[in-house]
């Protein structure tokens, strides 16, 4: 939370200078005055040569001037400082949004520097009433005429110069010509972009107060509202959308870039004329960070289910063994109703939980009997032993979502259609057909779309199974090689038995041989029994 608060403070500090750049500059102008020009004169757009660019005008036989103006959308770029690159060539009747034009001069290479006098007249078309031979007639005349005179100097034969236009809030007709060259005239309309407007302040203190009242206060308010909405959403949904800050950043850049390319002028006018809109958009950034950055309510569980196979115990009896484990990681949390539910990431699941859906975890109370805490280098808080006869670590899971239900009665359908028609018609009138259709469909959403409950089930092993498993592992440590030891002992015992019987046979034979030699008697010893001489060696004479 400390990092988030620090980010919000930095955001405020960085955003104020950015907003301050919107319209704090004053429009440059030249001397102006009101003159008596006829409508015919001001509607004269000069002489255009066939096949030449629409804004090219000749200044005699050896030199010419053509005019262009930059794009108002900065994403589309503008005219560069090179004379052979232009943005938008000025055409008769075109509406120029920027407060500047650019004149491109082409003359003799040896001509040197040249200065032209440029007249720029702003006017509107009005009517006046005149009495001719006792009859009143209406006649179109120019009104609100304002003229600017500028000296434009070109350093060489292929130079370009920018000419500032007067900032006008309402569209004006403009007639521009080069003094001394009757054919070098242009007519167009001029309506300044909203971003070039000046703030209603003339001092640094006044501008700072304008920023505070029109942006900073609104920003703080929107951030506070966003934080409240995030807390409510976390309580209802248990976690954020799962899109992540990086995902939201990509979406924000994509939407912002698309909107600016689609209608930069409209968005700029909206932001300039309603500064709280910009504060609302900026407040969206910390709100997303709060939404996706808090996961302290989430508990990460590892469900472990042994896969049992037949085996042989250390004593040679039939037994069971575990050769592999089925593992399943789940995120659980307590929702607003107190139930422990599985909460998987995803915007659809997030919205479903927000509007009442959930996937409550059946068997959650039984997990307390077999769960163990997880420590060390792991992200799991607990490990839960699952019954080996269950269908899986998480035997049942159906995510929460949405379902569509249309009104059954004709009356309900009529009400739904009326709501869609009223909302759609209002949006159509204000914003156009596209927004009208979208608004009509959006109005039907709460009537036909409802949250759907999901389900989840875990079958934990009982405490005896967990204890037996651990006890078996401890016992197996002591009897790890029991089968091999038993075999070795059995062989040792058999070897010892054979050795003892051989010794007894040798002693008996030795005693019989000694008696025969002493008494001279034949005791009937079998032929296949080897004779034993003194020293215990066999007699090979036979």
């Amino acid at each position: 939370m400390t990092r988030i608060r620090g980010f919000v403070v930095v955001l405020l500090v960085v955003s104020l200078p950015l907003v301050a750049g919107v319209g704090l500059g004053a429009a440059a102008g030249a001397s102006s005055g009101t003159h008596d020009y006829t409508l015919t004169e001001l509607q004269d757009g000069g002489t255009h040569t066939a096949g030449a660019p629409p804004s090219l005008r000749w200044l005699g036989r050896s030199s010419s001037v053509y005019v262009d103006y930059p794009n108002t959308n900065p994403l589309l770029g503008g005219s560069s400082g090179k004379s052979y690159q232009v943005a938008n060539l000025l055409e008769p009747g075109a509406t120029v949004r920027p407060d500047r034009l650019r004149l491109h001069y082409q003359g003799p290479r040896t001509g040197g520097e040249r200065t032209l006098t440029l007249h720029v007249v702003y006017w509107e078309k009005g009517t006046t009433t005149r009495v001719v031979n006792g009859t009143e007639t209406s006649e179109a005349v120019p009104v609100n005429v304002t003229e600017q005179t500028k000296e434009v100097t070109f350093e060489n034969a292929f130079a370009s110069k920018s000419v500032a236009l007067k900032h006008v809030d309402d569209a004006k007709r403009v007639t521009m010509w080069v003094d001394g060259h009757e054919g070098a005239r242009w007519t167009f309309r001029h309506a300044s972009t909203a971003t070039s407007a000046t703030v209603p302040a003339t001092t640094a203190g006044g501008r700072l107060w304008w920023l505070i009242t029109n942006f900073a206060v609104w920003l703080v308010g929107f951030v506070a509202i966003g934080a409240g909405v995030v807390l409510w959403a976390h309580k209802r949904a248990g976690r954020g959308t799962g899109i992540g800050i990086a995902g939201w950043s990509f979406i924000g850049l994509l939407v912002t870039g698309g909107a600016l390319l689609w209608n930069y002028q409209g968005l700029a006018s909206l932001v300039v004329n309603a500064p709280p809109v910009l504060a609302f958009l900026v407040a969206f950034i910390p709100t997303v960070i709060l939404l996706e950055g808090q996961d302290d309510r989430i508990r990460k569980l590892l469900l472990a289910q042994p896969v049992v196979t037949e085996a042989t115990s250390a004593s040679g009896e039939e037994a069971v063994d575990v050769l592999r484990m089925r593992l399943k990681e789940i995120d659980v949390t307590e929702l607003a109703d107190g139930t422990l539910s599985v909460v998987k990431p995803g915007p659809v699941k997030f919205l479903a939980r927000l509007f009442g859906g959930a996937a409550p975890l059946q068997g959650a109370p039984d997990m307390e009997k077999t769960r163990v805490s997880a420590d060390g280098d792991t992200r799991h808080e607990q490990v839960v032993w699952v019954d080996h006869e269950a269908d899986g670590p998480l035997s049942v899971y159906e995510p929460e979502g949405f379902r569509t239900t249309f009104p059954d009665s004709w009356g309900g359908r009529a009400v739904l259609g009326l709501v869609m028609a009223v909302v759609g018609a209002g949006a159509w009138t204000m914003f156009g057909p596209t927004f009208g259709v979208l608004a009509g469909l959006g109005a039907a959403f709460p009537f036909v779309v409802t949250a759907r409950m999901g389900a989840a089930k875990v079958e934990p092993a009982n405490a005896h199974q967990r204890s037996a498993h651990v006890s078996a592992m401890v016992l197996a440590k002591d009897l790890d090689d029991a089968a091999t030891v038993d075999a070795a002992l059995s062989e040792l015992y058999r070897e010892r038995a054979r050795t003892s019987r051989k010794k007894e046979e040798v002693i008996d034979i030795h005693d019989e041989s000694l008696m025969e030699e002493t008494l001279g008697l034949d005791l009937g010893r079998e032929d296949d029994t080897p004779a034993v001489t003194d020293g215990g060696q066999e007699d090979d004479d036979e």
Side-chain angles (χ1 to χ4, degrees):
M1 290 298 295
T2 303
R3 296 174 59 187
I4 294 175
R5 287 194 295 267
F7 178 81
V8 173
V9 173
V10 172
L11 184 66
L12 286 171
V13 174
V14 173
S15 300
L16 288 176
L18 294 178
V19 180
V22 180
L24 292 183
S31 60
S32 60
T34 302
H35 302 273
D36 188 14
Y37 292 106
T38 64
L39 185 61
T40 302
E41 292 175 326
L42 295 180
Q43 288 179 335
D44 183 6
T47 303
H48 172 247
T49 303
S55 64
L56 187 141
R57 302 292 186 268
W58 285 96
L59 307 176
R61 289 187 174 183
S62 59
S63 59
S64 64
V65 172
Y66 67 92
V67 183
D68 78 329
Y69 57 93
N71 292 306
T72 56
N73 191 340
L75 298 181
L76 299 178
S79 58
S80 67
K82 298 180 180 180
S83 59
Y84 56 84
Q85 292 181 339
V86 298
N88 301 286
L89 288 172
L90 183 64
E91 298 183 6
T95 300
V96 178
R97 293 289 185 177
D99 284 346
R100 66 185 182 94
L101 300 173
R102 194 170 67 153
L103 273 64
H104 303 263
Y105 174 75
Q106 295 177 334
R109 294 182 178 274
T110 59
E113 182 179 288
R114 184 171 183 180
T115 300
L116 301 177
T117 301
L118 191 68
H119 296 266
V120 184
V121 177
Y122 306 87
W123 55 283
E124 297 176 357
K125 188 176 181 180
T127 58
T128 185
T129 302
R130 295 185 180 182
V131 179
V132 179
N133 298 325
T135 303
E136 292 186 358
T137 59
S138 297
E139 181 180 354
V141 295
V143 297
N144 300 325
V145 179
T146 303
E147 182 178 7
Q148 291 180 323
T149 303
K150 304 174 180 294
E151 299 291 333
V152 183
T153 301
F154 300 96
E155 293 81 5
N156 52 58
F158 298 96
S160 300
K161 286 294 183 180
S162 293
V163 176
L165 299 178
K166 185 177 68 171
H167 179 83
V168 292
D169 296 326
D170 300 324
K172 301 284 186 180
R173 298 173 185 265
V174 181
T175 303
M176 182 174 67
W177 69 87
V178 177
D179 194 15
H181 301 276
E182 293 298 329
R185 301 173 66 92
W186 299 267
T187 57
F188 56 93
R189 294 175 180 270
H190 177 45
S192 300
T193 59
T195 53
S196 62
T198 58
V199 299
T202 57
T203 63
R207 293 178 179 179
L208 179 61
W209 180 248
W210 184 90
L211 288 174
I212 293 174
T213 56
N214 289 273
F215 178 76
V217 172
W218 289 96
L219 179 60
V220 172
F222 285 132
V223 170
I225 295 173
V229 172
V230 167
L231 293 177
W232 171 80
H234 269 271
K235 188 175 181 180
R236 294 277 299 178
R239 69 183 306 167
T241 63
I243 298 176
I245 297 177
W248 279 110
S249 300
F250 175 77
I251 294 174
L253 291 175
L254 190 65
V255 172
T256 302
L260 291 176
L261 290 173
W262 171 60
N263 190 5
Y264 172 82
Q265 182 63 33
L267 293 177
S269 299
L270 177 62
V271 170
V272 172
N273 295 324
V277 174
L278 180 60
F280 174 80
L281 297 176
V282 174
F284 188 74
I285 299 174
T287 300
V288 167
I289 295 176
L290 288 172
L291 179 64
E292 302 294 344
Q294 293 187 6
D295 56 357
D296 52 338
R297 295 170 54 91
I298 300 296
R299 293 166 51 191
K300 292 186 176 295
L301 305 182
L302 180 64
L303 306 181
Q305 182 188 29
V307 179
V308 177
T309 58
E310 296 181 355
T312 303
S313 67
S315 60
E317 299 177 353
E318 293 184 357
V320 293
D321 197 0
V322 176
L323 299 182
R324 63 190 180 95
M325 300 282 289
R326 292 193 184 104
L327 303 177
K328 179 70 173 180
E329 179 184 295
I330 61 173
D331 295 339
V332 297
T333 188
E334 288 188 4
L335 298 184
D337 57 359
T339 59
L340 191 68
S341 301
V342 177
V343 286
K344 286 192 174 183
V348 176
K349 299 181 182 67
F350 168 78
L351 291 175
R353 293 191 299 269
L354 202 64
F355 291 101
L361 183 60
Q362 300 180 31
D366 298 332
M367 292 193 310
E368 302 298 326
K369 302 175 183 179
T370 60
R371 66 177 178 84
V372 293
S373 299
D375 297 327
D377 188 14
T378 178
R379 59 182 179 179
H380 305 107
E381 297 181 7
Q382 296 174 342
V383 178
V384 178
W385 295 96
V386 179
D387 191 346
H388 66 279
E389 295 183 351
D391 293 336
L394 193 63
S395 56
V396 175
Y397 177 70
E398 183 180 352
E400 61 275 22
F402 290 97
R403 64 171 178 265
T404 57
T405 55
F406 291 92
D408 296 331
S409 63
W410 286 104
R413 297 175 184 175
V415 172
L416 176 61
L418 180 62
V419 171
M420 294 178 62
V422 171
V423 175
W428 188 307
T429 303
M430 297 178 61
F431 305 105
T434 302
F435 287 98
V437 174
L438 294 177
L441 295 176
F445 184 85
F447 293 93
V448 300
V449 180
T450 57
R452 173 180 53 81
M453 292 293 293
K457 182 180 180 181
V458 63
E459 300 178 41
N462 56 50
H464 299 294
Q465 292 182 17
R466 183 189 67 182
S467 178
H469 180 80
V470 177
S471 300
M473 287 192 300
V474 174
L475 182 60
K477 181 64 178 179
D478 299 331
L479 302 178
D480 190 24
D481 297 325
T484 303
V485 171
D486 286 345
L489 289 175
S490 299
E491 183 65 23
L492 178 60
Y493 292 153
R494 287 192 295 270
E495 184 65 22
R496 287 179 178 178
R498 285 194 299 269
T499 304
S500 298
R501 287 193 298 269
K502 187 67 174 178
K503 287 182 178 179
E504 291 176 356
E505 291 176 359
V506 171
I507 292 173
D508 292 340
I509 294 173
H510 183 273
D511 291 342
E512 290 179 0
S513 300
L514 182 61
M515 291 179 67
E516 286 179 346
E517 292 177 356
T518 303
L519 301 177
L521 299 177
D522 185 5
L523 299 179
R525 180 166 52 87
E526 296 180 358
D527 294 339
D528 57 347
T529 302
V532 180
T533 61
D534 294 341
Q537 301 294 327
E538 297 181 357
D539 189 357
D540 296 330
D541 294 340
E542 299 183 5

